[in-house]
Amino acid sequence: MTVEATVNIESLSASFPLTFPIPSPFTHPSLLSVKDLHREEDLLRNPTSFRQWWAAIHTTREAQNSLLKLEPLADIPPETRALLGPLASPTARQSLQRLTYLYEAALANFTGSYKLWKSYLQTRMSYVLGKQLTKKKAGGKKRLPDIKDAIEEEQEDLEQWEGGLDGVVGWEEWRALVATFERALMWLPKLPRLWLMYLSIFNHQNCPPVLSHSHARRTFDRALRTLPPSLHHRIWVRYLLWAETRGGVTTVAVYRRYLAIDPSVTERYVALLLSPSNPSPRPLEAAKLLLRLSRKAARGEYISSEGKSPYQLLGDLLDVVEAHAEQIGLGIEELGSAEADEESAGEDAKDPHQQQNGDSLIRFAGPPTAVGADGKPAPVYDEDEDPNSSRRLDVEKIIRKDGLAVYKDQAGRLWTGLATYWIKRAEFERAKETFETGIATVLTIRDFTQIFDAYAEFSESVISGIMEELANPDEEDEDLDVKETEEELDAKMKEFEELMDRRPFLVNDVLLRRNPSDVQEWEKRVGLWGQDDEKVAETYTRALSTIAPRRATPNLHRLYIDFAKFYEEGGTTGEAEADLASARKVLEKATKVNFKNVEDLAEIWCEWAEMEVRHENYDDAIRVMQRAAAVPKNTKINYHDHALPVQARLFKSLKLWSFYVDLEESLGTVESTKAVYDKILELRIANAQIIVNYAAFLEENKYFEESFKVYERGVELFTFPVSFEIWNIYLSKFVKRYGGSKLERARDLFEQALEKCPPKSCKPIFLMYSQLEEDYGLAKRAMSIYDRATLVVESEEKFEMFTIYIAKAAANYGLTATRPIYERALEVLPDRQTAKMSLRFAALERKLGEIDRARAIYAHASQFCDPRTNPEFWAEWHSFEIDTGSEDTFREMLRIKRSVQAQFNTESSYLAAQALAASQGAAKDVEEEAALDPMAAAEKQTGGKTGLKFVSAKQQAQHQGDDEQAPSPQAVGNADEIQISDEEDI
């Protein structure tokens, strides 16, 4: 600092203090002017009038503010303005003295006036602290917010000032301002607003350190002691913010005091302790606080202000431990001594230093037992949760007890955190053990992946470190043994490769720990061992002893079967000798397992019998199936009763009996096979396929009548539609066997089949029945059967049935005999099929020469045919009239067509019919183009709207000549035809 600057500061400091002692007209004659005499006289006459004093103060303040605005500031040096702030000009200093004189005089009469004290303090603050900056905020504040929200809101609303008096130059004035606050609080100690105003000056950037540190702390303490507890939250908010700005021991002391009454800001305090801006971080205290919070949150005694769960709080503890491992946790040697101390403490606890006095016990050692507000014992003192204790933590014990024992499905992060802690402490072997233990205990793939990736990364970093050490040896490390280091590198590389090779097995271990009864994972485990027969057999044995059958996933029986095949085939490679005895033992054990499904047990027995057959032990195979199919005395057991073991329900397994009967057919006799089939029918578990197979077996062995009896038993057991297939086969076999030799019996069988046959299934039986009568019976009976069929079959099949009936009638009795059939068909068939049948009927009458009858049929059928949806019908009628009609008949056809079209236009189906016609028209165009019909092409080119038109014979012949095609019967023109348009008005 230059000499001139020092002299300038000393000259400025000489101007202070301005308000101490309190200025008066006797000490400062310039405070009063001639204009002020009238005011002084009024105040002397009315010294107890508050209005007079308030008006005088207000008038003087306004006058002084006007003078300050008129005073030029350019003449004041910038250094002076920077140091003195609001008191840089002489006018401002004189204004402060005048206002101080008036306020002090008024307070001499009104010492308890809050309004006067507040105005006086704000005035003094404006001259010392500078201009206060106000922030614009939308919305209001909560009346009683949580301490966390209150701190955040208060931090945003802290007072800020522009300028201000320098703390060194204006020390005397700062001290006078503090003294004024002390006097105000002496008179009004219970007003929190005055305390908050007082405390706000300690946050000013120019506040002298003497005031902003120790004095400020004592003032905060006095405010808490003076104000009632209901107002303490207003002080604590500022107290904590002030402590955060001071840092160090002050922050710790203040926060510890507050946490004793309200632990909700513990997380904020932990963040302060670990803040990068904190010159003296306290990671051990932060870790203990986080440990306490996580335990309290786990017990439901604490709710995080930041919405963190107990597990997240424990995760924060892990982050702190990883970052400050040396400062927080105990090493391996220290852990050993700590465990020895705990053992000795436990031995001392067996003989507590207690002396019995009457009926009570007097405690001489140990902490006192605390009782909570609810009367229950309070938590026992734990030094690990005491932030004031300097003893470091047993991190491994804490993570195992508070983390792994509780959060078993989130163990990955905990194990990696513990391993990272040991890595930071350079305990690499302990870290490796931790990784291995974690991999061997986790229950989810996510946790396993997290631990395995961290383990692999750790192994790679160790290998990289050794390689760097070999590549760049340290000059200071003269004792480096290169050969030993290379051997260590090879060992680490081998361990890393083994770790990578073990990964599929480790993943499988995780899945099996999660569900030991997962059959598919055990099968994968077997596959992982490849051709190692010893390990495969060991895995099968372990799997079958571990899996609980009732909780197993599907296909448990396949595990037993595969194990038996392993022995049967001589191991995985087949090089060993087949061990059928061991395979039989495995299957024997499997037959005693209570599987979920009966079919699983049935497959075990079937596989056992197949194994015996493969090795040509046919008698053993039969005996195995006889054991499996043994029928108990009580055969009324419900197959679907899962309360019973599967062994008790096995005799009703159709799968088992089907295999048994196939085995008997292949290896046994006819009588033994028949006995098995009869047993199946007796147990009432046969299906239609069993009936058919039994009958086919008897037929192959020339037991024809017995096979027919089986069919009859089958149709009695089953109803339609299942019995339809049996009837179909039975009737065809019977007709093929006896033909017409047992015609009456065959007729009875057909009538019996048709008696209960539903309409949708009776058509094939009717056709077979009628064919029987045609071949071996009477044509009249065949016609009556066809007639019955047209009445019984479903509506969708009646058209086809009528078609067959008409064809048979024409073949047997001639065309004229089909007329009544056609007439009945037109009455029975639905409208869409009536038109098609009418065309056939009309063609028949035309063939017989009955033109008028054919025209009447066309006229009758026209009422069902919409010209838009049935253009084929109208085209046929059109061609019929051209070939055989006259002008009158053609006009009548056109009239009927218009009336029918008008009728369909008025119906609700108009739009649907129009859409259908469009789709059919498009399809028809495609078909016509594909067929390359010259008549249709010519019709399309003319743009006709009403279907086919008359074409002259000459023009038709010309087209035929061009196409080199022979004229079709319909294309032959009439030389005497009349050219009449479809749209012509008749």
Side-chain angles (χ1 to χ4, degrees):
M1 183 179 293
T2 62
V3 177
E4 294 180 357
T6 304
V7 173
N8 188 20
I9 292 175
E10 292 178 354
S11 64
L12 292 175
S13 300
S15 303
F16 297 97
L18 298 174
T19 58
F20 182 81
I22 297 172
S24 66
F26 298 103
T27 58
H28 298 75
S30 62
L31 293 180
L32 293 178
S33 63
V34 178
K35 296 179 181 179
D36 299 330
L37 294 177
H38 181 67
R39 181 197 67 193
E40 292 294 323
E41 290 176 355
D42 289 341
L43 292 175
L44 289 173
R45 284 195 297 267
N46 300 298
T48 59
S49 176
F50 182 81
R51 181 177 297 179
Q52 290 288 343
W53 285 103
W54 188 255
I57 292 172
H58 181 72
T59 303
T60 304
R61 186 169 58 240
E62 294 294 332
Q64 295 301 321
N65 290 337
S66 300
L67 291 175
L68 290 174
K69 291 179 182 179
L70 296 174
E71 183 179 17
L73 299 177
D75 298 339
I76 304 175
E79 297 83 2
T80 303
R81 290 201 301 268
L83 292 173
L84 300 185
L87 299 175
S89 64
T91 305
R93 292 193 289 270
Q94 187 178 16
S95 174
L96 173 60
Q97 290 178 338
R98 288 182 177 180
L99 290 174
T100 301
Y101 160 67
L102 280 176
Y103 274 113
E104 290 290 348
L107 287 171
N109 295 294
F110 305 100
T111 55
S113 174
Y114 167 72
K115 182 177 181 180
L116 195 58
W117 274 114
K118 181 181 178 183
S119 178
Y120 181 29
L121 294 173
Q122 288 177 342
T123 302
R124 292 286 295 270
M125 290 172 65
S126 64
Y127 281 98
V128 176
L129 305 181
K131 180 182 178 182
Q132 184 175 355
L133 302 178
T134 58
K135 299 179 182 178
K136 294 182 179 180
K137 292 188 65 178
K141 296 182 180 180
K142 296 181 181 179
R143 185 174 180 182
L144 291 174
D146 296 336
I147 186 66
K148 175 179 176 292
D149 299 335
I151 290 176
E152 294 176 355
E153 293 177 2
E154 192 66 29
Q155 193 169 12
E156 295 178 0
D157 298 340
L158 278 178
E159 297 86 350
Q160 296 182 2
W161 290 272
E162 182 180 359
L165 181 61
D166 184 73
V168 177
V169 176
W171 158 246
E172 294 293 341
E173 200 59 40
W174 275 94
R175 188 173 65 174
L177 176 61
V178 170
T180 305
F181 269 107
E182 293 290 346
R183 287 168 49 213
L185 292 172
M186 180 182 66
W187 291 103
L188 302 171
K190 301 296 184 182
L191 295 179
R193 188 62 215 166
L194 295 183
W195 283 104
L196 294 175
M197 290 173 60
Y198 187 14
L199 298 173
S200 67
I201 69 174
F202 302 133
N203 293 321
H204 196 279
Q205 62 271 16
N206 293 339
C207 184
V210 177
L211 299 177
S212 62
H213 288 78
S214 298
H215 179 75
R217 177 171 52 79
R218 295 189 183 100
T219 305
F220 276 111
D221 293 341
R222 283 195 297 119
L224 292 172
R225 288 195 301 268
T226 303
L227 293 174
S230 60
L231 299 175
H232 280 189
H233 68 282
R234 302 181 66 180
I235 304 301
W236 271 116
V237 171
R238 286 186 176 264
Y239 199 180
L240 295 175
L241 288 175
W242 173 83
E244 291 177 9
T245 59
R246 296 301 172 260
V249 180
T250 303
T251 303
V252 173
V254 174
Y255 262 96
R256 281 181 179 178
R257 286 177 56 194
Y258 185 76
L259 292 177
I261 59 173
D262 183 11
S264 60
V265 293
T266 306
E267 295 174 60
R268 184 183 182 92
Y269 178 42
V270 169
L272 292 173
L273 292 176
L274 301 173
S275 175
S277 60
N278 189 354
S280 56
R282 295 169 176 259
L284 179 58
E285 182 176 353
K288 291 189 175 186
L289 289 172
L290 287 173
L291 177 60
R292 181 201 293 176
L293 290 185
S294 65
R295 288 178 175 176
K296 292 178 68 175
R299 295 194 300 264
E301 299 174 2
Y302 173 77
I303 298 177
S304 173
S305 58
E306 298 181 4
K308 294 183 178 180
S309 65
Y311 176 77
Q312 290 174 318
L313 292 172
L314 191 61
D316 293 343
L317 171 62
L318 275 179
D319 295 338
V320 176
V321 168
E322 292 175 0
H324 307 277
E326 294 287 345
Q327 303 174 35
I328 294 176
L330 298 173
I332 295 180
E333 298 81 4
E334 296 168 324
L335 282 176
S337 60
E339 291 174 358
D341 293 341
E342 289 181 1
E343 291 178 359
S344 61
E347 293 176 359
D348 294 340
K350 294 179 181 178
D351 299 320
H353 300 290
Q354 295 177 346
Q355 179 178 353
Q356 187 168 359
N357 182 12
D359 295 333
S360 61
L361 291 176
I362 302 175
R363 182 182 297 274
F364 285 94
T369 303
V371 179
D374 55 356
K376 298 180 180 179
V380 180
Y381 171 78
D382 190 350
E383 194 173 359
D384 290 343
E385 299 180 16
D386 186 4
N388 298 323
S389 173
S390 60
R391 193 189 75 173
R392 287 181 291 174
L393 301 175
D394 185 351
V395 176
E396 184 167 356
K397 179 181 177 182
I398 291 171
I399 291 178
R400 289 180 181 275
K401 176 183 176 182
D402 298 299
L404 298 172
V406 180
Y407 310 107
K408 296 181 180 180
D409 57 340
Q410 303 285 343
R413 172 70 183 93
L414 302 175
W415 282 113
T416 54
L418 179 58
T420 305
Y421 163 74
W422 290 118
I423 294 172
K424 291 292 183 68
R425 295 190 64 92
E427 301 289 349
F428 298 134
E429 291 300 324
R430 191 63 172 263
K432 181 180 175 182
E433 293 177 6
T434 303
F435 279 125
E436 291 288 347
T437 307
I439 288 175
T441 55
V442 292
L443 300 175
T444 62
I445 295 296
R446 179 189 60 187
D447 292 339
F448 167 80
T449 304
Q450 192 173 2
I451 299 174
F452 187 86
D453 292 345
Y455 192 7
E457 184 178 355
F458 161 68
S459 301
E460 291 176 354
S461 64
V462 171
I463 294 172
S464 300
I466 298 175
M467 294 176 67
E468 290 179 3
E469 186 179 359
L470 288 173
N472 303 311
D474 192 355
E475 296 179 358
E476 298 179 357
D477 192 2
E478 299 177 356
D479 299 332
L480 178 64
D481 189 348
V482 177
K483 184 176 181 180
E484 183 179 350
T485 306
E486 290 178 351
E487 292 177 355
E488 183 183 359
L489 177 61
D490 293 340
K492 294 296 182 184
M493 291 287 290
K494 185 178 180 181
E495 289 178 1
F496 182 70
E497 292 175 359
E498 290 177 354
L499 177 64
M500 292 295 106
D501 293 339
R502 284 193 298 138
R503 192 180 193 283
F505 292 92
L506 295 175
V507 172
N508 186 259
D509 285 338
V510 173
L511 296 174
L512 289 178
R513 279 196 299 273
R514 186 176 63 182
N515 182 11
S517 300
D518 192 338
V519 177
Q520 288 70 31
E521 290 303 323
W522 282 111
E523 292 175 348
K524 293 179 183 177
R525 183 76 172 190
V526 172
L528 289 174
W529 288 116
Q531 298 180 357
D532 191 343
D533 291 347
E534 184 178 352
K535 291 292 185 180
V536 168
E538 181 182 347
T539 303
Y540 272 123
T541 305
R542 181 182 164 201
L544 298 180
S545 61
T546 303
I547 296 175
R550 303 302 294 179
R551 294 194 296 270
T553 56
N555 296 328
L556 172 60
H557 64 287
R558 294 303 313 173
L559 207 60
Y560 284 94
I561 294 171
D562 294 340
F563 192 16
K565 286 184 178 180
F566 169 78
Y567 284 116
E568 178 191 356
E569 296 172 357
T572 55
T573 59
E575 297 177 357
E577 185 179 355
D579 189 357
L580 289 181
S582 298
R584 291 189 184 101
K585 289 180 181 179
V586 173
L587 294 173
E588 182 69 34
K589 182 179 179 181
T591 58
K592 296 179 174 61
V593 177
N594 187 17
F595 295 100
K596 287 184 179 180
N597 301 317
V598 178
E599 301 303 319
D600 297 344
L601 180 59
E603 189 167 350
I604 293 288
W605 285 104
C606 295
E607 288 290 340
W608 190 353
E610 283 187 357
M611 183 186 72
E612 299 294 349
V613 171
R614 283 194 295 268
H615 293 274
E616 299 181 357
N617 299 326
Y618 304 120
D619 294 338
D620 292 339
I622 295 293
R623 280 194 291 270
V624 167
M625 294 311 299
Q626 286 175 349
R627 283 182 57 195
V631 180
K633 293 182 180 179
N634 182 16
T635 59
K636 296 183 179 180
I637 293 176
N638 185 2
Y639 176 79
H640 301 286
D641 186 2
H642 294 280
L644 298 174
V646 292
Q647 286 77 9
R649 297 177 282 150
L650 178 63
F651 73 97
K652 283 197 173 183
S653 172
L654 182 59
K655 181 177 184 179
L656 180 72
W657 285 102
S658 299
F659 183 83
Y660 186 15
V661 77
D662 290 343
L663 195 64
E664 286 289 352
E665 286 187 22
S666 303
L667 304 176
T669 62
V670 176
E671 296 301 324
S672 63
T673 306
K674 288 172 61 179
V676 176
Y677 271 119
D678 291 337
K679 201 65 179 178
I680 295 174
L681 296 177
E682 181 182 345
L683 292 173
R684 304 182 69 85
I685 59 174
N687 55 14
Q689 189 62 47
I690 294 293
I691 299 296
V692 173
N693 292 344
Y694 189 12
F697 171 75
L698 293 173
E699 186 179 354
E700 290 176 2
N701 290 278
K702 310 302 181 182
Y703 292 92
F704 298 107
E705 282 300 326
E706 292 189 18
S707 69
F708 294 151
K709 291 180 181 179
V710 171
Y711 283 125
E712 291 176 0
R713 291 181 66 180
V715 297
E716 291 176 1
L717 287 175
F718 302 102
T719 58
F720 285 93
V722 177
S723 62
F724 167 75
E725 301 295 339
I726 301 176
W727 274 117
N728 201 10
I729 299 173
Y730 180 22
L731 294 174
S732 61
K733 294 284 186 181
F734 188 88
V735 172
K736 182 179 179 181
R737 172 68 180 166
Y738 293 111
S741 60
K742 294 185 179 183
L743 185 60
E744 291 301 324
R745 182 179 171 186
R747 287 171 178 170
D748 292 340
L749 290 176
F750 276 107
E751 292 295 337
Q752 185 180 353
L754 292 172
E755 182 179 356
K756 297 181 180 179
C757 186
K760 65 179 181 179
S761 303
C762 62
K763 177 185 172 184
I765 299 177
F766 273 115
L767 293 177
M768 193 184 304
Y769 192 7
S770 60
Q771 188 65 38
L772 173 68
E773 292 293 345
E774 289 181 11
D775 294 341
Y776 306 106
L778 301 175
K780 184 176 181 181
R781 290 182 63 88
M783 292 299 104
S784 65
I785 293 172
Y786 283 121
D787 188 63
R788 284 174 56 192
T790 57
L791 298 175
V792 176
V793 297
E794 284 189 324
S795 300
E796 290 77 6
E797 297 178 345
K798 284 186 178 181
F799 182 83
E800 185 179 357
M801 203 70 228
F802 271 110
T803 303
I804 298 173
Y805 187 14
I806 291 171
K808 294 294 183 181
N812 292 328
Y813 301 111
L815 294 176
T816 57
T818 61
R819 281 177 177 167
I821 303 175
Y822 273 115
E823 292 173 358
R824 193 158 64 84
L826 295 182
E827 296 176 359
V828 174
L829 293 176
D831 294 347
R832 58 186 178 85
Q833 295 178 350
T834 300
K836 191 173 181 180
M837 187 61 72
S838 298
L839 293 176
R840 295 185 181 183
F841 193 10
L844 171 66
E845 295 295 349
R846 182 179 179 183
K847 188 175 182 180
L848 295 176
E850 298 290 343
I851 303 300
D852 292 338
R853 290 177 61 86
R855 185 174 290 108
I857 294 171
Y858 279 122
H860 170 74
S862 64
Q863 60 183 323
F864 310 114
C865 302
D866 185 356
R868 294 183 301 274
T869 58
N870 292 294
E872 297 85 0
F873 172 80
W874 295 99
E876 186 71 25
W877 194 3
H878 188 279
S879 177
F880 170 78
E881 293 295 344
I882 290 174
D883 294 341
T884 62
S886 62
E887 181 177 352
D888 294 337
T889 59
F890 190 82
R891 290 174 183 271
E892 181 65 17
M893 184 268 295
L894 294 178
R895 185 190 66 76
I896 294 174
K897 181 177 181 181
R898 291 192 188 94
S899 63
V900 170
Q901 186 170 0
Q903 176 184 358
F904 279 99
N905 286 346
T906 59
E907 293 182 355
S908 59
S909 60
Y910 171 71
L911 294 177
Q914 191 175 19
L916 181 60
S919 62
Q920 290 180 351
K924 184 177 180 181
D925 290 343
V926 175
E927 293 175 359
E928 289 176 351
E929 290 177 3
L932 297 176
D933 186 2
M935 283 295 293
E939 181 70 15
K940 187 175 182 182
Q941 288 178 0
T942 58
K945 299 181 180 179
T946 58
L948 297 174
K949 293 184 177 180
F950 286 99
V951 181
S952 64
K954 186 183 294 183
Q955 185 178 1
Q956 184 178 9
Q958 182 178 356
H959 283 296
Q960 292 173 356
D962 293 339
D963 296 339
E964 298 180 0
Q965 294 180 357
S968 62
Q970 295 180 354
V972 178
N974 185 6
D976 299 329
E977 65 184 359
I978 302 172
Q979 301 293 334
I980 300 176
S981 174
D982 290 350
E983 282 91 8
E984 182 177 349
D985 189 11
I986 298 176

